[in-house]
């Protein structure tokens, strides 16, 4: 595989990581809303679902190789940083 194709593949994994992170953070927000509303079981189920989603994505990427796994892990880091910057910080 040439260098350009490898960079494109890693960019795809990073984009997939960002998509997984968006789903992860949406599930986190939904779980928090349910927990505040008194739905502890639903919140626990959503927490298990979001952790399984992230674990499954990272495991699938690790089967391809170390670089794709690291690229996929970069997606959630960048997505979280962008979200924190957009909402004005975490207190």
């Amino acid at each position: 595989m040439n260098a350009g194709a490898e960079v494109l593949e890693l960019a795809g994994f990073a984009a997939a990581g960002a998509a997984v992170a968006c789903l992860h953070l949406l599930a986190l927000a939904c779980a928090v809303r349910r927990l505040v509303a008194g739905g502890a079981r639903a919140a626990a189920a959503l927490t298990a679902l979001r952790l399984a989603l992230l674990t499954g994505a990272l495991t699938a990427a690790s089967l391809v190789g170390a670089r794709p796994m690291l690229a996929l892990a970069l997606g959630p880091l960048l997505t979280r940083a962008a979200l924190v910057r957009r909402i004005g910080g975490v207190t």
Side-chain angles (χ1 to χ4, degrees), residues 8 17 30 34 40-41 47 60-61 67-69 74 80 88 90-91:
L8 189 60
C30 188
R34 297 226 182 211
R41 286 186 183 174
T47 299
R67 287 183 183 162
M69 184 187 70
L74 183 65
R80 184 189 177 280
V90 176
T91 58

Side-chain angles (χ1 to χ4, degrees), residues 43-90:
L46 281 169
T47 299
L49 178 68
R50 72 184 172 88
L51 292 176
L53 172 72
L54 190 58
T55 303
L58 286 170
T59 300
S62 74
L63 294 175
V64 177
R67 287 183 183 162
M69 184 187 70
L70 290 172
L72 191 120
L74 183 65
L77 291 174
L78 295 176
T79 302
R80 184 189 177 280
L83 180 65
V84 168
R85 178 174 291 162
R86 181 174 172 98
I87 63 173
V90 176

Side-chain angles (χ1 to χ4, degrees), residues 5-27:
E6 187 173 339
V7 168
L8 189 60
E9 179 186 25
L10 293 177
F13 275 101
V20 167
C22 286
L23 292 173
H24 179 80
L25 293 171
L26 285 171

